[in-house]
Amino acid sequence: VIRANMAADLRANERLTDEELEGVPATFLLAGSETSATQTSWTLRLLAEHPHVQERLRAEIQAAKKQHALEGSAGTYEGCLVGDVHALPYLECCIKESLRLMTALPSTVREATEDDVVPLSKAYRSADGKSTFDSVVIPKGHELFVPIAAVGLDTELWGPDAAEYKPERWDNSATQLPAAVKALPGPGLFSFISGPRNCVGQRFAQTEIKVLLAH
């Protein structure tokens, strides 16, 4: 984190302050543990509700364990190294789909640091019904509610099957995602937000879940 914060191509307003850097370890140890545990629980529930997905995932993990058998002091242990779990494509798909469909953090809040005008993807009718608008004025200091769960379930983004658990939608490095989703940061995976204030523990959290499911 410190090395990334010192990158030469990082703008001044994107750098973390010393106080923010000091809070990173606490975020990993405290905030990260609960959300990772919750997300693992949701993933296990979804796998239990979709036996065909569970069987395919089990087959991938078992094949990896046989290929990367480890010799332990008590005999042969067929397990997966941390590096191995990142080489399991279907495990990656299952977790990303779980994060999309039943994210552990359904929403968050951000505060605008300067005045801005946010363009909308389409025009909307005003409250009085007499006009339309295609942008929103955001004044400095205004708090913005970010509906993470709603983005993951939006049929305009994900299609009519948005409420279904379909890990295969993430196959082939997410190249099969709908065009509207590919335009989102990630691409598509909005559970950790994006930009310079995204979740600092997103890679760590996903690795934790992968290791737990693989064992």
Side-chain angles (χ1 to χ4, degrees):
V1 174
I2 294 175
R3 184 168 57 249
N5 199 54
M6 296 173 64
D9 60 345
L10 203 63
R11 295 194 296 264
N13 65 340
E14 294 178 338
R15 297 184 188 278
L16 298 176
T17 65
D18 290 343
E19 183 179 357
E20 289 171 332
L21 285 172
E22 290 174 359
V24 169
T27 301
F28 270 98
L29 296 175
L30 301 177
S33 61
E34 181 180 353
T35 50
S36 295
T38 301
Q39 195 62 54
T40 302
S41 298
W42 288 136
T43 306
L44 289 170
R45 170 183 168 172
L46 288 167
L47 290 172
E49 292 175 342
H50 299 80
H52 66 287
V53 174
Q54 184 179 153
E55 289 303 318
R56 179 178 170 182
L57 177 59
R58 180 182 289 115
E60 180 182 71
I61 294 172
Q62 291 298 330
K65 287 183 176 181
K66 290 179 181 178
Q67 184 178 355
H68 301 283
L70 303 177
E71 292 293 334
S73 57
T76 300
Y77 168 67
E78 294 183 347
C80 286
L81 295 168
V82 171
D84 296 331
V85 297
H86 291 298
L88 300 176
Y90 197 61
L91 176 61
E92 176 92 3
C93 293
C94 289
I95 293 173
K96 283 186 174 180
E97 183 69 346
S98 166
L99 285 162
R100 179 194 71 82
L101 189 61
M102 300 182 72
T103 181
L105 188 66
S107 63
T108 188
V109 176
R110 291 290 186 269
E111 181 180 326
T113 58
E114 59 185 52
D115 295 337
D116 203 354
V117 177
V118 178
L120 304 177
S121 61
K122 62 181 181 181
Y124 290 87
R125 189 172 298 278
S126 60
D128 59 13
K130 297 180 180 180
S131 61
T132 61
F133 61 96
D134 59 5
S135 62
V136 177
V137 176
I138 306 295
K140 180 180 179 180
H142 190 78
E143 288 191 343
L144 303 173
F145 177 80
V146 185
I148 299 173
V151 172
L153 293 171
D154 190 345
T155 54
E156 291 191 14
L157 292 174
W158 298 94
D161 62 351
E164 299 178 27
Y165 182 63
K166 298 176 64 176
E168 59 271 17
R169 75 173 82 235
W170 299 91
D171 280 348
N172 301 319
S173 300
T175 56
Q176 301 180 42
L177 292 176
V181 173
K182 291 180 181 179
L184 296 176
L189 191 60
F190 197 56
S191 302
F192 301 100
I193 311 298
S194 184
R197 293 295 184 269
N198 67 349
C199 176
V200 69
Q202 61 175 306
R203 293 183 181 178
F204 180 71
Q206 291 181 76
T207 298
E208 277 187 310
I209 298 171
K210 287 179 180 180
V211 171
L212 287 169
L213 292 180
H215 287 77

